[in-house]
Amino acid sequence: MNQTFAALQLGPAKRAVARVAAGAYAGSGSGRTQPYATEAKKKNPYSHTIKLPQTEFPLRADAARREKQFRHRCTDALYEWQLKNNRGPQFILHDGPPYANGDLHIGHFMNKVLKDIINRYQVMQGKRVVYIPGFDGHGLPIEQKALETLKGRDRDSLDPMEIRKLARNFALKAVARQTESFKEYAVMGDWAHPYLTLDPSYETNQLEIFKAMMGRGYIYRQNKPVYWSPSSRTALAEAELEYNEKHISTSVYVKMQLTDESVARIGGAGKVSALVWTTTPWTLPANRAIAVHPDLEYVLVQVTENSESGSAGYQLLVGKDRLEAVSAMLPEGSTIAVVCILSGKQLEGLSYSSAVSGKQCPILLANYVTSDSGTGLVHSAPGHGQEDYELGLVNGIEIYAPVDDNGRFTNAAGAALAGMEVLGEGTRAVVAMLRDAGVLLHAQEFTHSYPYDWRTKKPIIQRATPQWFANVGSLKASASESLRDVKIFPEFGRRRLESFVASRSEWCISRQRVWGVPIPVFYNTSSGEPLLTAESISHVIGIIRERGTDAWWELSTEELLAPEYRADDNTYVKGTDTMDVWFDSGSSWKMLEKVSECSEGAYADVYLEGTDQHRGWFQSSLLTSNAVRGVAPFRVLLTHGFTLDESRRKMSKSLGNTLEPARVIHGGRDKKKEPAYGVDLLRLVVGSTDYTHDVSFGPLVFAQFSDTMRKIRGTVRFMLGNLNSFTPDMLVPFEQMSSIDRYILHELRRFKQNAQSAFDAYEFYRAMQVVSNFTNADLSAFYFDISKDCLYVGAPDDLQRRSTQTALFHILVDYTTALAPVACHLAEEVWEFFGPTRRALGKTTGSVFQEPWDQTRSEWNDPELAADWTALRKLRSVANRAIEAARTARHIGSSLEAELDVYVPLNTRLGQLLTKYKSELCKVYITSKVNVHEVGGAETDGFVCEDRIAAYDTETPVRVVSRRSSLHKCPRCWNFHSTEESSLCGRCDDVVARQQ
């Protein structure tokens, strides 16, 4: 799995969680954990002299209830505070608007939380974050959902304003519900002033962009094939398609009979037909040409079929390279003989009778024809395909499409086909007509990838209708150029976006729906010519600014026309098309003009959305911004993957594997099966996952992260408990702190720098991995384990104890700020419980997010000290193996019963290090005593572990012998330092005496 934080739990750390959960403040399986875990069974007479941690910070989060207490101050209050008080540069993360057409799912949660992590980190960097949430309130999805609320009413009888009113109300209710959910996710932003694509101010911005693009020649109208959705009854853009890999189509091989003149021209005899192949038989009524490649070779063949009535002969014209494949389709026993070979150029200008319509049509040359499949002769219907359309345009062929808005044949297709669905009974009827006419050579069904309407999940067709387009062909060069200065993560997103832009020549921006922004065009009632000028658009914009886009449907054409066009001799009618919703959302960058402090270049620092937006919002924003401003609208472009279940299946309602964030946050009816995990756990899953790939969510994932959250809380609880009553006069200057405390501050600085590097690179999962490693390896299994002795049983005013508390204070501050962007409620809760101590030490901020991100100091950086402690930690692992061997043999119980003898060349740097720290080694290795010897000296009996320690750019051999200590256990600290049984050791005797 790719959730790194959960996967990096260490064995000792997991055991520590269990101990802390049981009530003990424990780190790893050390020798001194056991006394406090069993203290309640037998009263220790010195327990009142032991300084156990004290804090009311709970180990269990009870997040669903407790998080609410901190939400306002880390969301609404924080957003307002940082805009007023932060002094750094402005930072704008521009929100891609989700559709306001229903409740939220886990994908919405991931998207918004990723954005929030970025914003919170930037706040803690001192920047003034501008985050204005957006909602896409127009379009077919909302219109359809709104119409579904009508029960028992004829939807077709509704007038446009009734539909618009229904859609608006539906969208606004969805916005309200979604807003409450996003706020519950602790997404910080200007929720009081979101941008809605249905607001008049937004709509006028969009129309201003449209006017600018029209003025630059990017907008035009043409009758040409577009993706058409019969189920939605509107044109679609490429971004609104998805592909069904299991679609079934019928392919047919059809004989188109050549005219007598054409037969004579190529030296044929009798009935001669050009054999075409198509996977869309329903387009054959619109056939207007056959395309051949000028450089391919074609053969005229004589075919003789054996039948019950005798031999039947005819001639076929097919591609030479396809002859073998075509021969296999002939009835058994048929013979085929080549009459002559012709080039494609020789076929140009031949004519034939179209198989369905009977219309005489030409054979034309086209470079897109190949001999990879089919027959090498391509049926061409300029009203139903882009290449066919372009061929027809060049050759003056009629752009003909006898199909209506519902995807049914019109009367123009013939009485036998009129009213039939082209993708259903219409296809079957055409095939039957071909068979009955004796021109069907072969037909078969096949499964292939086919475009579907992404909203209705039904197949689309290509159909010529008069539509409005944006000329992408003249834009894509500048759009691709503008991406050069954009940082794109992950990098494959750059190739993906560039390829989508490069492969696109036009953008169909008109839709045949009423819920949207109108294309402000008027048509001359006599000529049908459109009226679309800067003056006519500006006049409409002025009206919409005051009344909203409803005015287009409420006012008459006369009222909408600019004055100069009312007085001329022409009469006009207003258009009925609305704009593509991708043009709506793709215009959102313009609303940043009023808030951005950058007048040149990109207005937004970051755009972040799912990978599907390379075809959608990323691309439409890039195109409109380049058309108007000549720049990309973003400086950084981030892409996240899709959400999957734990079986790595894409979440969908049809599979029943969708996940509602509210159910995870608040739990299901049975809280044992579906616990209430709260918001922060879900945020931790998102923040700990490589979001550039698809992300899995499910019960097992949540259970793992629940353990992780308890580990984090236990880590914080240990520090809070040991900082109880810590006052300013107890702070120890850095230069007076002990070696291990200075070392852990060095590691703290390195930890914070590594986390910052990951956040700066938008690799939050790597930052959380750094947190996990620091939590488990550096704190729980090492520093906390070693520090308990001085914290619990040292004198309250002892320098070593105060030194450790000073280190814990600094660790807690930077550990909490590192967690804050991801686990914001937890960080605020820690800050609240940390309040008395931190305020006494000068940290009076009301929120952890008002603190600087990195509060480590340069003086803490000490590579030489770090090298020493790295060597000591490596030796610690060798010592632990020797101790474990003694424990396994039941020679000792806890590690405190052990005495170690370490054999090492004393003239090496490692030997000198051990000699230097000899008196402290027992604390580091949590034993009662450590002796250091020269290699080769007289060895003691015991349990041996040998290894080579890689340190100081060399390897040094070491030998560790573990044996039972000859001294007695101190009843207070449990170290084996007492000379007599049941008596205090020297240190404890002194501490107890000072407390009396």
Side-chain angles (χ1 to χ4, degrees):
M1 69 185 286
N2 58 0
Q3 276 88 356
T4 56
F5 204 117
L8 283 168
Q9 294 284 359
L10 303 180
K14 285 188 174 180
R15 293 194 293 272
V17 173
R19 292 191 185 91
V20 176
Y25 285 79
S28 66
S30 69
R32 64 174 58 89
T33 301
Q34 185 64 21
Y36 305 112
T38 59
E39 182 182 5
K41 297 180 180 179
K42 183 178 180 181
K43 182 68 175 178
N44 189 318
Y46 303 105
S47 60
H48 66 285
T49 69
I50 297 172
K51 297 289 290 184
L52 288 176
Q54 294 182 15
T55 180
E56 294 182 0
F57 182 82
L59 182 64
R60 301 193 68 84
D62 192 12
R65 178 183 64 84
R66 186 175 289 113
E67 286 174 343
K68 298 176 183 178
Q69 302 172 24
F70 306 101
R71 188 159 298 144
H72 175 72
R73 84 179 190 193
C74 72
T75 53
D76 295 343
L78 174 62
Y79 187 77
E80 183 178 349
W81 178 90
Q82 58 92 25
L83 285 175
K84 292 179 180 178
N85 294 277
N86 275 358
R87 294 292 179 263
Q90 186 185 63
F91 178 88
I92 298 178
L93 192 156
H94 186 42
D95 192 31
Y99 274 124
N101 68 332
D103 294 327
L104 303 180
H105 53 69
I106 200 70
H108 291 106
F109 183 94
M110 181 171 75
N111 175 272
K112 280 295 192 288
V113 167
L114 287 171
K115 295 172 182 175
D116 191 60
I117 291 172
I118 294 172
N119 284 337
R120 290 182 181 278
Y121 174 70
Q122 296 298 334
V123 166
M124 300 183 79
Q125 293 293 327
K127 296 180 182 178
R128 291 169 291 115
V129 169
V130 175
Y131 179 68
I132 304 172
F135 295 92
D136 201 337
H138 286 143
L140 184 62
I142 293 169
E143 185 176 329
Q144 289 178 327
K145 285 289 187 73
L147 291 174
E148 287 173 4
T149 63
L150 297 176
K151 296 180 179 179
R153 289 189 62 184
D154 182 7
R155 300 173 186 176
D156 293 332
S157 67
L158 298 176
D159 65 40
M161 280 308 301
E162 287 180 297
I163 295 174
R164 286 179 62 83
K165 184 177 180 180
L166 278 170
R168 176 182 294 276
N169 291 338
F170 181 91
L172 290 176
K173 289 178 181 178
V175 167
R177 292 197 309 273
Q178 289 184 4
T179 296
E180 289 307 306
S181 294
F182 286 137
K183 292 175 74 173
E184 183 178 46
Y185 305 160
V187 178
M188 177 190 68
D190 191 358
W191 293 103
H193 307 96
Y195 78 86
L196 279 64
T197 61
L198 55 76
D199 280 346
S201 61
Y202 187 98
E203 293 168 332
T204 54
N205 276 344
Q206 180 176 334
L207 287 169
E208 290 285 0
I209 291 175
F210 178 83
K211 182 179 76 169
M213 292 180 66
M214 186 277 300
R216 289 169 170 78
Y218 292 122
I219 305 298
Y220 63 95
R221 185 173 188 255
Q222 205 156 354
N223 179 36
K224 62 186 301 184
V226 295
Y227 297 117
W228 184 270
S229 171
S231 55
S232 297
R233 294 190 299 178
T234 186
L236 300 178
E238 281 186 71
E240 297 170 295
L241 305 179
E242 61 184 21
Y243 286 81
N244 183 348
E245 302 295 331
K246 298 181 179 180
H247 181 83
I248 298 175
S249 291
T250 300
S251 70
V252 292
Y253 290 78
V254 181
K255 293 180 281 188
M256 301 284 196
Q257 187 171 338
L258 298 185
T259 62
D260 292 343
E261 181 182 353
S262 296
V263 171
R265 182 174 154 185
I266 61 174
K271 288 185 177 181
V272 180
S273 299
L275 187 66
V276 300
W277 171 73
T278 181
T279 60
T280 55
W282 61 270
T283 64
L284 285 169
N287 172 263
R288 289 297 181 266
I290 292 174
V292 297
H293 196 285
D295 299 327
L296 286 180
E297 289 187 325
Y298 294 84
V299 292
L300 180 65
V301 297
Q302 178 70 40
V303 179
T304 303
E305 294 181 1
N306 290 324
S307 64
E308 296 179 0
S309 58
S311 297
Y314 58 87
Q315 292 184 343
L316 288 179
L317 191 62
V318 299
K320 181 181 178 182
D321 293 342
R322 302 303 302 163
L323 181 58
E324 183 178 352
V326 170
S327 299
M329 301 173 192
L330 297 173
E332 187 176 352
S334 300
T335 61
I336 190 166
V338 175
V339 177
C340 64
I341 299 175
L342 303 162
S343 69
K345 290 180 181 178
Q346 291 177 282
L347 303 181
E348 183 182 16
L350 299 182
S351 57
Y352 65 94
S353 177
S354 188
V356 176
S357 68
K359 184 178 177 67
Q360 186 170 311
C361 304
I363 294 180
L364 305 174
L365 299 181
N367 289 324
Y368 60 78
V369 177
T370 70
S371 59
D372 296 336
S373 60
T375 66
L377 295 95
V378 176
H379 143 65
S380 183
H384 292 298
Q386 183 62 32
E387 289 179 327
D388 296 4
Y389 166 78
E390 292 172 358
L391 181 67
L393 206 62
V394 170
N395 291 278
I397 305 298
E398 178 188 14
I399 310 302
Y400 176 66
V403 179
D404 66 15
D405 291 356
N406 295 304
R408 296 176 180 271
F409 283 120
T410 65
N411 291 331
L417 295 174
M420 292 184 179
E421 290 186 11
V422 299
L423 292 177
E425 58 181 339
T427 290
R428 293 189 291 273
V430 169
V431 173
M433 291 174 65
L434 297 172
R435 185 176 288 111
D436 293 343
V439 296
L440 180 66
L441 181 71
H442 182 71
Q444 68 180 44
E445 289 187 342
F446 71 105
T447 302
H448 66 128
S449 177
Y450 190 86
Y452 274 52
D453 182 332
W454 73 325
R455 300 183 185 97
T456 63
K457 310 301 181 184
K458 294 184 179 180
I460 59 97
I461 60 176
Q462 287 196 61
R463 169 188 178 232
T465 60
Q467 299 290 340
W468 288 93
F469 297 88
N471 186 351
V472 178
S474 57
L475 267 176
K476 56 187 178 184
S478 64
S480 296
E481 179 68 23
S482 70
L483 288 176
R484 289 189 178 183
D485 296 328
V486 176
K487 295 179 180 178
I488 299 180
F489 302 97
E491 184 58 30
F492 68 75
R494 182 184 303 278
R495 298 189 296 273
R496 183 174 166 83
L497 180 55
E498 287 178 343
S499 67
F500 280 131
V501 172
S503 63
R504 195 173 185 181
S505 60
E506 61 191 16
W507 172 10
C508 180
I509 63 170
S510 51
R511 296 292 181 271
Q512 288 63 55
R513 311 302 299 182
V514 299
W515 180 231
V517 176
I519 294 179
V521 62
F522 303 89
Y523 298 98
N524 188 299
T525 54
S526 299
S527 66
E529 287 298 309
L531 171 66
L532 191 68
T533 66
E535 293 76 19
S536 69
I537 299 174
S538 294
H539 183 74
V540 172
I541 288 175
I543 294 172
I544 289 176
R545 184 174 287 113
E546 296 296 324
R547 303 186 50 164
T549 50
D550 282 350
W552 186 259
W553 284 267
E554 292 173 334
L555 300 182
S556 65
T557 300
E558 185 76 11
E559 293 171 294
L560 292 168
L561 273 172
E564 55 264 45
Y565 299 109
R566 298 175 194 167
D568 64 21
D569 295 333
N570 297 302
T571 56
Y572 298 94
V573 61
K574 59 187 174 183
T576 58
D577 291 342
T578 54
M579 291 191 201
D580 175 19
V581 289
W582 292 116
F583 200 102
D584 287 20
S585 60
S587 303
S588 62
W589 55 263
K590 188 169 176 61
M591 49 86 61
L592 297 177
E593 284 180 337
K594 295 182 179 179
V595 296
S596 176
E597 296 173 357
C598 178
S599 59
E600 297 181 0
Y603 289 141
D605 290 279
V606 173
Y607 273 39
L608 185 156
E609 297 299 332
T611 186
D612 55 330
Q613 297 308 315
H614 290 117
R615 297 176 63 198
W617 187 58
F618 291 161
Q619 189 178 163
S620 63
S621 299
L622 178 68
L623 294 174
T624 56
S625 179
N626 267 276
V628 177
R629 301 186 66 235
V631 297
F634 36 72
R635 296 184 186 88
V636 174
L637 191 66
L638 302 175
T639 304
H640 65 73
F642 295 112
T643 55
L644 309 175
D645 65 15
E646 290 177 327
S647 298
R648 304 295 293 173
R649 298 177 302 172
K650 184 178 178 180
M651 289 186 177
S652 68
K653 291 182 179 179
S654 60
L655 291 176
N657 63 345
T658 56
L659 193 63
E660 298 176 9
R663 198 173 185 89
V664 182
I665 294 167
H666 301 290
R669 292 183 178 179
D670 187 341
K671 293 295 190 291
K672 290 185 178 179
K673 293 183 178 179
E674 295 181 286
Y677 285 117
V679 174
D680 269 8
L681 182 134
L682 260 182
R683 289 179 64 101
L684 188 61
V685 175
V686 172
S688 302
T689 302
D690 184 356
Y691 62 85
T692 62
H693 298 87
D694 294 341
V695 180
S696 295
F697 292 87
L700 292 177
V701 173
F702 302 145
Q704 287 177 322
F705 275 91
S706 180
D707 289 341
T708 298
M709 187 63 81
R710 278 195 294 272
K711 175 59 184 174
I712 293 172
R713 294 185 70 89
T715 300
V716 169
R717 190 168 182 248
F718 177 88
M719 290 188 277
L720 287 171
N722 282 291
L723 287 170
N724 182 52
S725 302
F726 185 63
T727 57
D729 60 297
M730 299 171 71
L731 278 171
V732 177
F734 177 71
E735 61 275 7
Q736 296 179 25
M737 293 177 72
S738 69
S739 174
I740 190 173
D741 296 327
R742 285 186 285 113
Y743 164 66
I744 202 62
L745 292 183
H746 168 91
E747 289 299 301
L748 176 65
R749 180 171 173 79
R750 191 166 68 93
F751 150 73
K752 206 57 180 290
Q753 289 175 334
N754 289 340
Q756 179 160 340
S757 172
F759 273 112
D760 286 342
Y762 304 101
E763 295 177 343
F764 317 128
Y765 70 95
R766 190 161 59 84
M768 291 299 98
Q769 183 177 1
V770 170
V771 172
S772 177
N773 290 341
F774 188 65
T775 301
N776 292 309
D778 293 320
L779 295 182
S780 179
F782 175 67
Y783 184 67
F784 288 178
D785 218 15
I786 294 171
S787 300
K788 288 173 198 157
D789 183 77
C790 74
L791 289 170
Y792 296 176
V793 297
D797 59 350
D798 180 66
L799 177 62
Q800 176 57 63
R801 187 174 191 274
R802 291 189 294 111
S803 174
T804 300
Q805 287 180 301
T806 300
L808 289 178
F809 173 80
H810 292 305
I811 294 169
L812 184 55
V813 169
D814 272 288
Y815 186 81
T816 305
T817 55
L819 285 170
V822 177
C824 53
H825 299 98
L826 171 60
E828 290 288 18
E829 185 183 3
V830 173
W831 209 242
E832 183 75 16
F833 278 90
F834 193 24
T837 300
R838 63 177 173 80
R839 281 192 288 270
L841 291 164
K843 293 194 172 296
T844 58
T845 51
S847 166
V848 68
F849 293 98
Q850 296 174 14
E851 289 287 313
W853 159 262
D854 186 1
Q855 300 187 40
T856 63
R857 304 171 187 172
S858 59
E859 65 176 334
W860 297 353
N861 184 46
D862 192 338
E864 291 187 9
L865 180 66
D868 288 347
W869 277 96
T870 299
L872 290 174
R873 291 179 71 171
K874 289 181 177 180
L875 182 59
R876 190 172 189 252
S877 67
V878 179
N880 285 342
R881 295 203 299 272
I883 293 169
E884 189 60 32
R887 183 185 284 127
T888 301
R890 299 181 182 277
H891 193 70
I892 60 172
S894 75
S895 65
L896 290 173
E897 293 182 58
E899 182 173 333
L900 301 181
D901 291 285
V902 180
Y903 297 86
V904 61
L906 296 179
N907 62 344
T908 61
R909 285 194 64 179
L910 181 61
Q912 294 167 4
L913 175 70
L914 296 179
T915 302
K916 176 182 176 182
Y917 285 102
K918 182 177 179 180
S919 61
E920 302 294 320
L921 292 179
C922 61
K923 299 176 183 177
V924 177
Y925 302 141
I926 313 179
T927 60
S928 290
K929 189 176 182 181
V930 176
N931 308 299
V932 179
H933 308 280
E934 178 64 60
V935 170
E939 294 191 4
T940 56
D941 294 331
F943 297 86
V944 180
C945 183
E946 294 181 311
D947 209 335
R948 298 181 68 85
I949 304 297
Y952 308 115
D953 298 323
T954 187
E955 285 191 352
T956 306
V958 296
R959 180 182 177 88
V960 179
V961 180
S962 172
R963 54 192 171 86
R964 183 179 176 83
S965 173
S966 60
L967 297 176
H968 299 280
K969 181 170 69 174
C970 171
R972 181 174 180 271
C973 70
W974 288 33
N975 282 292
F976 280 66
H977 290 167
S978 298
T979 56
E980 297 180 9
E981 190 172 354
S982 300
S983 65
L984 294 175
C985 65
R987 178 189 61 172
C988 287
D989 189 46
D990 179 61
V991 172
V992 170
R994 290 163 59 187
Q995 292 186 24
Q996 291 177 347

